[in-house]
Amino acid sequence: MRIRNKNLYLLSLGIIMLISGCLTVERKEYHFKINPDGSGTGTIKFVNIVSVEDEETDVSIQDFQALIDDYLNGNVFEEQNPGYQIVEKRLYEQDGILIGEIEFTFPNIEAAGFFRDNDCKCASYYYYLGSSLSETLIHTDGENLFEKYEIPVIRWQSDNKEFNLVTMVQEDMENAHNLVELYREWKKE
């Protein structure tokens, strides 16, 4: 009996690995702060984490498990963002949706994805959105240069020490499954 259950488990695990959905979020909220020595802290808030159907199949259970195993307890985010030293990762419910939040530090502003001419104290700070092509800028406290020059860059003045931007990731939520119920069950365990 044990062998049969083990085989069923392995078969189920194999099927889960073959059927992969798509974890995504409605939007991301970025906040960066620079310390006087040039290092800094940051937070990325993943608002409304959902599972998008895979060829009209609900794979939210598998996606939620991947969220827990690969992102919350794993190191996928760290591998994708080697310039960040993770301080804390957490999931929580807010207003009936699932939120993820990652707090981190960085040794210098370049490690956080910004660039500037460090030889000139008057130089502005720039953040290149080209690496985030799947995201659409919806708000920033900097200047969106795409509107003026059609380049995906945000500029902040040289005296700024805090930088904020919000991007839209998944606008169409028609085939998306809210993961908050799975989160509630997971928290009970």
Side-chain angles (χ1 to χ4, degrees):
M1 186 72 160
R2 283 181 126 174
I3 294 172
R4 183 172 179 208
N5 287 340
K6 184 178 178 183
N7 288 338
L8 285 174
Y9 172 77
L10 291 174
L11 178 63
S12 297
L13 187 61
I15 290 170
I16 288 170
M17 295 175 92
L18 289 174
I19 301 174
S20 62
C22 182
L23 274 173
T24 190
V25 298
E26 183 178 344
R27 70 179 187 274
K28 292 182 188 175
E29 298 174 2
Y30 299 83
H31 176 77
F32 301 94
K33 183 177 181 181
I34 300 176
N35 299 321
D37 68 355
S39 67
T41 61
T43 303
I44 301 175
K45 187 175 180 180
F46 301 84
V47 179
N48 197 11
I49 303 170
V50 297
S51 171
V52 177
E53 290 181 358
D54 182 24
E55 297 182 13
E56 299 181 18
T57 301
D58 179 0
V59 290
S60 55
I61 294 171
Q62 297 91 328
D63 281 348
F64 183 77
Q65 194 62 53
L67 174 65
I68 299 302
D69 293 344
D70 299 340
Y71 291 92
L72 185 64
N73 296 329
N75 62 355
V76 170
F77 184 84
E78 291 84 339
E79 290 171 359
Q80 295 171 344
N81 299 280
Y84 299 160
Q85 290 79 45
I86 305 304
V87 174
E88 182 180 14
K89 296 189 281 188
R90 64 189 187 115
L91 288 175
Y92 57 94
E93 179 183 349
Q94 183 177 22
D95 300 326
I97 60 174
L98 187 59
I99 307 289
E101 196 168 294
I102 298 180
E103 294 179 34
F104 52 90
T105 62
F106 46 89
N108 56 57
I109 196 71
E110 291 81 13
F114 288 79
F115 59 97
R116 73 179 291 201
D117 183 357
N118 288 326
D119 294 331
C120 177
K121 296 254 185 228
C122 63
S124 300
Y125 291 96
Y126 295 91
Y127 187 79
Y128 178 61
L129 290 168
S131 62
S132 303
L133 294 176
S134 64
E135 300 176 34
T136 303
L137 181 67
I138 56 175
H139 174 74
T140 182
D141 58 0
E143 180 184 3
N144 180 0
L145 297 182
F146 189 80
E147 294 171 345
K148 197 179 217 179
Y149 304 109
E150 295 191 17
I151 55 173
V153 172
I154 302 169
R155 175 175 57 196
W156 288 270
Q157 296 305 313
S158 60
D159 59 344
N160 274 57
K161 298 302 176 212
E162 293 193 38
F163 313 93
N164 297 288
L165 60 132
V166 178
T167 62
M168 177 70 64
V169 178
Q170 181 75 28
E171 193 168 3
D172 177 16
M173 300 298 255
E174 186 175 323
N175 293 325
H177 297 272
N178 188 331
L179 297 177
V180 78
E181 285 298 327
L182 293 170
Y183 170 76
R184 290 174 185 157
E185 288 299 316
W186 176 75
K187 284 298 282 186
K188 286 180 187 177
E189 297 173 7

